[in-house]
Amino acid sequence: MFKYTKFFSTKITPQREPIPGSGQTPNSAGGYAWPLDDWGRLDRFLVLGSEGGTFYAGERELTIENAEVVARCLAADGIRTIDRIVDISTTGRAPKNDPAIFSLAMAAKLGDEVTRRAAYAALPQVCRIGTHLMHFAEFAQGFGGWGRGMRKAVGAWFNGKRADDLALQLAKYQSRDGWSNRDLLRLAHPRAASPSHDRLFAWAVKGELAEGAAEDPSLALIVAMEELRKTDDLATAAKLIRDKRVPRECVATEWLKQPEIWDALLPAMPMTAMIRNLATMTRVGLFAMGSEALELVVSRLADRERLVKARVHPIAVLSALATYKSGRGARGQGTWVPVAKVLDALDAAFYACFGAVEPAGKRLLLALDVSGSMASGEVAGVPGLTPRVASAAMALVTAATERDHAFVAFTAAAGGYGGKWGGGVAGISAVSISPRQRLDDAVAEVAKLPMGGTDCALPMIWAKENRIDVDTFVVYTDNETWAGSVHPAQALRDYRNARGIPAKLVVVGMTSTGFSVADPSDAGMLDVVGFDTSTPPVIADFARA
Ligand code: CA
């Protein structure tokens, strides 16, 4: 008998060929995977962005590809696209708000009439602070000029804020990316919603305090800033900052060398600003032994509700932890001696940012793709945060909630025929990382593992060969699988048959590319977005069901 099925079968197909009849298309690595639909891709883009590109695509190419996805979504259903943008932006699921702002600008400038109107209506929800609005103006500029709709929406943004909140926005974010409040107000030219708004507009445009400003409680911050500018007495400055809740952005650089000033800034400091300034506060000596400021910072970092409410993204914490631990600033911000209490508090805060996750109580195999491509590019534009390192951190979140879990890291030979570096068995390494370790140590351990080709089927093949019972495989990957002799979906079905376990597969996509190794026609496989704060609960729910 000529073995026809040796060459053409739906059960065993090399990853360099599509599974017959499956609808697979080529990925960037020369393998085949399933194309993600545009809505799935929109989610990946909104969460992961395209900054830094991937191993296979530069950031230019990846950005164009994703912008085309946004355009197709807008053409298919503008309102659904905007709902998605608003949802991901307002729930703080993404490390950065820029992909949402960019997509909203596209909707506002390129959508049909209904879509444009909805996009402008959503402006205050997506652009919550002055910086966001300036980014929106910059992006919108790329798709056209200032039409009537744009002028109205930007004007409404300023008028829609309560006067005292607007004062804070105007003071804190005076200009960004070549845009200033002055530019925006001149172009939008709104009629002020109240006398207080009128005074604030005058201050932003002309830089002077209008009549009645000194007596207007909504302008208290602006008045305090003017007073702060005039004083050279440390105690007076600190008192002004503390009493009038002056933000750091409004304090002259010379003052920011004084611990007394930071001590005064701290009570009103927002969470993200606090996390970003831990190094500076350490350097100026605010956290000396027995300091109340240190206790305050540590207790805030331990406050889950506060972290979630402030939309602190775990990526921001992870990035702060890496920088803080290093003891030196990336852009010449000097050096400091990291305080252990702060490091531990950041470590705990990382997990707390994901909110409460109810464990599934199943047997989970957390499998990290440590192939070469995962070490390229950066997640959310954070220097040094490769998909490989990021996936380890992400997997630790699930490990922290699921008692019954094991970690493996997988890589095929560079040539794809087995063995870590060619020859020998395919590369599965047991990884001894644990959420009880500090995050930076765990991540460093994964960064050290050898790397080679990509075979996302390895976790299932390995578990079958070693008779390991797994209810849910969670594979963290860029989906650029190519090196295996069988597709991951086929390996999963084979595992199910061999072990008699209806095992599931969750594929956590770590880059904003357009494919997945999860078979969309198999209800036991799910594709989710890496570093989406909603991913750990989604994995738990899927594993539990
Ligand atoms: Ca790879």
Side-chain angles (χ1 to χ4, degrees), residues 365-370 406-410 428-431 449 458-459 462 468 474 476:
L365 186 68
L366 308 173
L368 311 176
D369 175 353
V370 292
F407 273 104
V408 291
F410 62 88
I428 282 272
S429 327
V431 188
L449 293 168
L458 286 173
W462 175 81
I468 292 165
V474 188
Y476 301 80

Side-chain angles (χ1 to χ4, degrees), residues 196-278:
S196 295
H197 283 80
D198 197 34
R199 292 182 191 111
L200 286 166
F201 293 174
W203 178 76
V205 174
K206 295 180 224 145
E208 54 197 41
L209 289 175
E211 209 175 317
E215 295 78 41
D216 188 340
S218 303
L219 271 81
L221 174 65
I222 310 288
V223 175
M225 279 171 63
E226 298 297 328
E227 285 175 43
L228 187 61
R229 211 167 284 166
K230 286 177 210 148
T231 186
D232 50 10
D233 178 57
L234 178 61
T236 311
K239 188 171 167 18
L240 262 174
I241 290 169
R242 190 184 301 274
D243 292 352
K244 305 295 176 184
R245 304 168 68 86
V246 178
R248 181 191 53 85
E249 288 84 348
C250 303
V251 178
T253 324
E254 306 89 73
W255 284 129
L256 295 175
K257 291 171 187 148
Q258 309 296 335
E260 291 84 353
I261 295 294
W262 284 97
D263 198 45
L265 284 166
L266 196 53
M269 198 183 289
M271 286 296 274
T272 40
M274 187 188 88
I275 290 168
R276 222 178 291 141
N277 286 295
L278 289 168

Side-chain angles (χ1 to χ4, degrees), residues 29 55-56 369-375 411 452-455 477-482:
F55 178 77
Y56 296 99
D369 175 353
V370 292
S371 70
S373 64
M374 290 289 280
T411 183
T454 318
D455 179 1
T477 180
D478 56 7
N479 290 288
E480 304 280 18
T481 199
W482 55 271

